[in-house]
Amino acid sequence: EGMALPERILSSEEICLQWQQSQGAGAGLYNLGQTCFMNSVLQCLTYTPPLANYFLSGLYRCSCKQEDFCMMCAMEAHICDVLKCAGCVLVPMSVIDNLYRKSRQELFHVFFHFCSRAPLTSPFLGTGKHFLCGRQEDAHEFLCFMLLAMQRACPTGSSSSGVCSQSRNIIRQIFEGLLRSRLTCLSCKAVSDSCEAFLDVPLDIKEASSVSTALQDFMQPEMLDGTNCITCRSCDTVAAASKAFSIQEAPAVLMLFLKRFSMTGRKLGKAVEFPLNLDLRPYMSQAGGEPCPYSLYAVLVHRGDSCASGHYFCYVKASNGLWYHIDDSSLMPCNVGTVLQEQAYLLFYVR
């Protein structure tokens, strides 16, 4: 209340949300020993249309001034290699080599920052935890790490060049949205709003059989009473309140994180229906506006009983409009009906 909203995210019109070329799926990725979590995340990012368009354009390469390892340059090299090597199987060395060996201190600093500011899904993940070769990791945690590492790599200096300005905020332009938290005092009905950025929306699926139900549950007001009462500045009393979330500003790419793992690491294996096309408008702060449509383009799946074991693979929609099942080095076309029947862990939608 009384505070300005965070810096506005650039509009989706300023980035290219649709593929600029049409082709089938690219290369598969070798599993180097429990690296399926990494392979599946990298493939989902590779088939994110605005991110792939940006890297294929070479805009970032022209603006990067980093002398040491740069995660943005690594991802640009990886995505270009995968999309230009259809029918091949590659080792994602541009990411793995630097993740495990080069500039380790810098990369781990980014991951420590992530650990300190966000709730984690794995009970085995503590502050200062590393990604270790040969050990199964959580795909959602790796996705968050990659996005934050890419954000950190983006230039922060001001420039009159449109290229530098674009590259500085490209990750935020693509993935970041604004979440509004509204507190309502139940004594005087005063309303207080605050906003914060988000990269994905966590959905509790314990009581939900569909993504739409889980989104509705996410937006349901939570009662704050007893020891959770607030001190209301309007009526100057300690009072019960309700707290409700809504999406203030929709991202260009919407990532939904289905919370399948408990605090003990055990997996909630249940079917949760998810749509091919999603209208986010009913879950936004201004629910009465024009539709806010999204189209599904990637689904990441976990098979197994716990977050410390099992196997990850994904489905992606290539620029030719066809769906593919990607399981490390294996890459096969599939129909969309097969995709919609999977027990999704991460869902990727584009505006």
Side-chain angles (χ1 to χ4, degrees):
E1 185 175 321
M3 296 177 63
L5 289 176
E7 176 188 350
R8 188 181 182 277
I9 302 167
L10 297 182
S11 69
S12 60
E13 288 76 19
E14 294 173 283
I15 57 176
C16 194
L17 298 178
Q18 304 302 318
W19 286 103
Q20 295 303 286
Q21 59 186 36
S22 178
Q23 65 180 67
L29 301 176
Y30 282 112
N31 189 321
L32 305 180
Q34 301 293 336
T35 58
C36 58
F37 74 96
M38 181 186 301
N39 288 346
S40 56
V41 168
L42 291 176
Q43 293 287 25
C44 290
L45 291 175
T46 296
Y47 293 91
T48 297
L51 187 66
N53 288 334
Y54 178 71
F55 282 138
L56 289 171
S57 73
L59 282 173
Y60 184 80
R61 183 169 57 252
C62 295
S63 66
C64 182
K65 295 179 174 58
Q66 297 195 49
E67 297 179 358
D68 200 357
F69 169 70
C70 170
M71 183 61 83
M72 287 287 285
C73 288
M75 279 301 295
E76 179 178 270
H78 172 78
I79 289 177
C80 290
D81 287 346
V82 168
L83 294 180
K84 293 177 180 178
C85 296
C88 300
V89 181
L90 306 178
V91 177
M93 290 309 298
S94 59
V95 176
I96 288 179
D97 186 49
N98 291 286
L99 180 65
Y100 290 127
R101 295 194 288 114
K102 294 181 182 177
S103 303
R104 180 177 294 181
Q105 182 177 1
E106 174 69 11
L107 286 172
F108 287 161
H109 176 76
V110 178
F111 191 64
F112 298 162
H113 174 67
F114 161 64
C115 291
S116 67
R117 69 189 288 269
L120 303 175
T121 59
S122 170
F124 310 107
L125 182 60
T127 302
K129 179 258 193 183
H130 303 343
F131 289 116
L132 298 178
C133 290
R135 186 171 74 183
Q136 181 70 284
E137 307 287 358
D138 182 81
H140 176 245
E141 290 162 2
F142 181 70
L143 172 63
C144 294
F145 165 72
M146 288 297 296
L147 294 177
L148 287 170
M150 285 192 286
Q151 279 196 65
R152 187 176 178 86
C154 287
T156 56
S158 60
S159 171
S160 59
S161 165
V163 170
C164 290
S165 176
Q166 177 82 346
S167 66
R168 183 184 64 208
N169 293 311
I170 189 65
I171 301 302
R172 291 180 60 212
Q173 287 183 65
I174 294 173
F175 296 101
E176 191 176 271
L178 284 180
L179 187 69
R180 187 189 75 182
S181 174
R182 168 163 288 184
L183 278 176
T184 303
C185 175
L186 299 184
S187 176
C188 69
K189 308 304 179 184
V191 172
S192 175
D193 289 344
S194 62
C195 288
E196 63 177 317
F198 70 89
L199 294 178
D200 60 30
V201 178
L203 297 180
D204 191 335
I205 59 171
K206 289 180 183 177
E207 306 297 331
S209 60
S210 68
V211 161
S212 59
T213 302
L215 279 168
Q216 291 169 7
D217 293 343
F218 181 75
M219 305 300 170
Q220 282 298 311
E222 172 191 2
M223 297 304 298
L224 303 177
D225 52 19
T227 58
N228 294 320
C229 284
I230 66 167
T231 300
C232 180
R233 289 183 292 176
S234 294
C235 60
D236 197 25
T237 61
V238 176
S242 68
K243 181 179 182 179
F245 292 107
S246 61
I247 295 175
Q248 177 71 24
E249 187 159 359
V253 167
L254 174 68
M255 298 186 296
L256 301 180
F257 160 47
L258 279 60
K259 298 167 68 175
R260 289 194 175 274
F261 298 119
S262 69
M263 292 302 296
T264 61
R266 292 191 60 83
K267 181 183 173 184
L268 181 60
K270 61 177 291 188
V272 178
E273 181 182 348
F274 55 93
L276 191 60
N277 297 294
L278 172 69
D279 182 9
L280 201 61
R281 178 57 62 185
Y283 316 107
M284 297 185 66
S285 304
Q286 303 297 328
E290 293 293 322
C292 186
Y294 285 82
S295 177
L296 184 71
Y297 72 88
V299 178
L300 190 146
V301 181
H302 175 270
R303 288 273 172 84
D305 297 325
S306 76
C307 61
S309 63
H311 182 63
Y312 290 99
F313 59 92
C314 66
Y315 295 90
V316 300
K317 185 179 181 182
S319 59
N320 62 359
L322 300 180
W323 282 90
Y324 294 85
H325 175 207
I326 305 181
D327 188 344
D328 291 327
S329 58
S330 172
L331 196 153
M332 298 290 293
C334 67
N335 61 66
V336 69
T338 300
V339 178
L340 296 176
Q341 291 174 0
E342 283 289 356
Q343 293 184 12
Y345 181 41
L346 297 172
L347 296 170
F348 298 78
Y349 290 86
V350 65
R351 285 285 291 269

